[in-house]
Each structure stands twice: as structure tokens, then as C-alpha cells.
Amino acid sequence: MSLADAARPHAPVLGGERQPALDGVRAISILAVLWTHLFPARLGGVALNESLGLFGMALFFILSGYLITGQLLKRPPVSAFVARRLLRVVPAAWICLALVWLVHPVDLETALSYLLFYANLPPQHLTPPVDHFWSLCLEVQFYMLAALLLWMRPRAVWWLFPVLLLATTALRIGHQVTASSVTWFRCDDLLAGACLALLMHSRHWPAVRTRLARRGMVPLLLVTLLSCSFLPHAALNPLSFLRPYVAAAFVGALLAQPAHGLSRQLGRPFFVYVASISYALYIWHLPLAATWLGTGDTAIKYLKRPLLLLALVLVAHVSTFQVEHRFNELAKRVGHGRRQRLKEV
């Protein structure tokens, strides 16, 4: 039996069922990133900001890879898939860039690299206060790969994503890269999430689900945190190469145990709301921190943090429900129209 045959889906798991714990994962990921960029995090004199940020982004990419691959397995029309993904992220990102560049102009080459989402590729054109857009570049690049596979050969995901994941891990080990914003050193988190989706839609999921439940969710969370830790004195953390795998296992354990206390807590209304505005929180937090709200010496800057957070939530709420929501509805209409035309043909 071939790998593709072994992995072929028989009864898609959690097909249209809502998974509340995923809202919590998304919320925790953005809260970790916000804390990383806006507050100091120290333990015993050791700075933890980089580790916390790596943890947040790992969860974000795992979740994104999982959800995108789940959509691929449903084989939607390519045009509907591309429209839905791009309309989800591009308009809000471009609005943010336009407003930032009114205050901090950039050259044409840098602008194009951002607008076309390749600013994270060497030679990088990442510039403050939108240098965090490297993750959006990586995300959109993954969308394009997914769309290409959907157009050419959808079933290739069953072997291509696992192969790319292992290849990326090997590349990171060979170059001793703990973390990076360059696609070929950072796409392993996305690919691990993609492989989690493949596993959950395969015949092997019941057995894996049982093993994940036996391993326990808390140990997996602790190992994930350790894999995101930066060791003192610039020592290389060997667990960092396992980060995509243990983070995906942790998310898989949450999905495998929806009745677990942690899974239920992550589905609470607070996390659901934070998850709903998480994208806007991410794109706007550094631009707003670059305004008067984030200026001053250390004491003044942190006294302003509550005001900055309030402004950020307000901007994110408006961006989500007045901008993103409208374009999401447009994307749904595009997808629905495309499906109707296919049915008529």
C-alpha cells in the first residue's frame, strides 16, 4: 500500500463541526505576541520575550496550516479558495500599510515587496513599524502553494507536505537555525499544522488520538514551551528543531479531548472574542506602538500601555467588523457563485 493510499481520507474528522479550543489557541497565540512586543517578560534575570513570541507564532502557524489544509481536502474551486484567502488578509493589510507609509514613506522596491508579500525573502525589505508583516508574507506564500496544488494535483498534499516538513527540519538542522523570518527556515510550523490536518482526515487518527490522550495535554504543552526557549549565552536549544512537531501534537491533543478542562476553558467567550479580532490586533499593534501611545522613557511608556491597549482593541474591532467582515462576505459570495456555476455546468 502506498503512502497516499494509507493516508487517503475515509470519513473526514470534524468536518463541519466547530472546534472551540481552536479559538483559544488563536487567542493565546496573539496574546503571547502582544506581550512579547509590548511588555518585558523576565524570569530570574533571563529575558523570555523571544521565547514567548516564538511560542505564539508557532501556535498561530500550526493553526493556520491545519485550517488551510482542511479546506484543501474539501477541494473547493481554485478561484473561490484564492478569493476567500486573499480577501481575508490583503485589504486590511494594505489599509494598514497605506496609513503607515503616509507617516513613514518607503521606496518603491520596499513597497512592492510588502504589497506582493515577499518582503521576508532575501534580500529582506522589512522595515519598522511593519517589520512583523514577515509572517503575513509567509502566510500568503503558503496560500499560493496550496492554490497551485489545488489547481494542479490536490492529492499531492498527502505526500508533499510531509516531505517538505522533513526537508525544512533538515535544512534548519544543517544551518543551525533556531528561528527565522525567511520562508524556507520557518515554514515548518505551517507544514506541521498541515500534516496534523492530514492525519486527522486519515484512517490512523483514532489510534493517534488515543495515544495523544494517554500522553496528556500538560506534558505536551510543557515540551512545546521548552522547544521555544532560548538558552542563555547563545547556546543552541536542540529541542527547537522539534518545535513544529510537539506544537502540532499539543494542538492535536486539544482536538482529541474536547471535554478536557483546558479545551473547555479555551472555548470561553473571552478567548472567542480575542480570536475574532486577532488578525487586526496583530497587524495594528506595532504601528500603534510607533505613535505617541508608545513613546517616552521606560516609566512613561509603560504608564501609557493601558491606553495603547484600549486603542488597539478599538481599532482591531472596527477593522475586523467593518473591513474584514465585509470582504469575508464578498469572498463567500464569490465562492458561492462559482459553485453554483459549476453545478449548472
Side-chain angles (χ1 to χ4, degrees):
M1 179 171 59
S2 68
L3 177 62
D5 290 333
R8 183 174 292 126
H10 291 268
V13 182
L14 303 171
E17 184 180 333
R18 181 169 177 79
Q19 302 154 52
L22 295 188
D23 288 324
V25 173
R26 188 183 298 278
I28 293 299
S29 70
I30 185 59
L31 291 175
V33 170
L34 292 181
W35 192 282
T36 296
H37 290 159
L38 302 180
F39 297 95
R42 305 185 71 85
L43 180 64
V46 178
L48 300 178
N49 287 63
E50 289 184 338
S51 301
L52 189 60
L54 192 59
F55 172 72
M57 291 310 300
L59 290 182
F60 170 77
F61 284 136
I62 293 291
L63 182 58
S64 182
Y66 168 80
L67 294 173
I68 294 303
T69 303
Q71 292 177 17
L72 281 183
L73 294 176
K74 296 176 183 177
R75 297 194 182 185
V78 178
S79 59
F81 174 82
V82 173
R84 189 158 190 173
R85 298 323 306 166
L86 293 187
L87 287 172
R88 170 71 177 85
V89 301
V90 172
W94 281 2
I95 290 172
C96 179
L97 290 172
L99 293 176
V100 167
W101 290 341
L102 285 175
V103 182
H104 305 281
V106 296
D107 59 78
L108 178 60
E109 186 177 6
T110 298
L112 286 175
S113 70
Y114 271 94
L115 295 174
L116 299 179
F117 297 96
Y118 64 88
N120 71 316
L121 299 179
Q124 292 187 337
H125 294 85
L126 300 171
T127 57
V130 286
D131 44 335
H132 62 306
F133 272 48
W134 67 267
S135 62
L136 298 188
C137 294
L138 181 56
E139 186 85 359
V140 172
Q141 290 161 20
F142 186 68
Y143 294 165
M144 294 302 99
L145 172 62
L148 182 63
L149 289 172
L150 189 59
W151 177 60
M152 294 182 63
R153 193 177 180 185
R155 298 197 62 79
V157 299
W158 289 99
W159 61 266
L160 183 62
F161 284 168
V163 167
L164 288 176
L165 172 59
L166 294 174
T168 305
T169 300
L171 192 64
R172 285 183 57 213
I173 293 173
H175 288 80
Q176 298 289 280
V177 174
T178 298
S180 175
S181 58
V182 177
T183 301
W184 44 85
F185 288 131
R186 195 55 180 273
C187 62
D188 48 354
D189 291 327
L190 275 164
L191 292 166
C195 290
L196 174 62
L198 295 177
L199 179 61
M200 291 185 68
H201 285 76
S202 77
R203 66 181 64 176
H204 305 297
W205 175 240
V208 174
R209 178 173 54 193
T210 301
R211 291 179 183 177
L212 287 174
R214 288 175 180 171
R215 295 290 185 273
M217 207 174 297
V218 174
L220 285 172
L221 175 59
L222 292 176
V223 176
T224 301
L225 289 168
L226 287 173
S227 72
C228 296
S229 300
F230 286 86
L231 299 180
H233 310 299
L236 183 69
N237 180 5
L239 283 177
S240 69
F241 302 120
L242 298 178
R243 180 188 69 240
Y245 305 92
V246 293
F250 169 65
V251 174
L254 285 171
L255 297 175
Q257 304 173 73
H260 190 280
L262 181 56
S263 297
R264 292 201 305 270
Q265 289 299 316
L266 289 175
R268 294 177 70 88
F270 169 76
F271 292 115
V272 173
Y273 175 71
V274 172
S276 71
I277 63 171
S278 60
Y279 175 61
L281 288 173
Y282 184 77
I283 64 175
W284 282 105
H285 76 284
L286 287 184
L288 285 178
T291 67
W292 173 85
L293 293 169
T295 59
D297 58 27
T298 302
I300 296 298
K301 182 170 62 176
Y302 288 111
L303 282 174
K304 290 181 182 178
R305 280 296 187 257
L307 186 58
L308 170 61
L309 291 174
L310 177 60
L312 175 59
V313 171
L314 290 175
V315 170
H317 185 92
V318 172
S319 177
T320 299
F321 297 105
Q322 298 301 320
V323 178
E324 292 176 44
H325 180 72
R326 294 173 186 270
F327 282 101
N328 285 340
E329 290 301 311
L330 174 61
K332 290 177 183 178
R333 290 197 296 270
V334 171
H336 179 73
R338 175 63 177 167
R339 284 190 293 270
Q340 285 296 111
R341 287 193 295 271
L342 288 175
K343 287 179 180 179
E344 292 173 1
V345 172

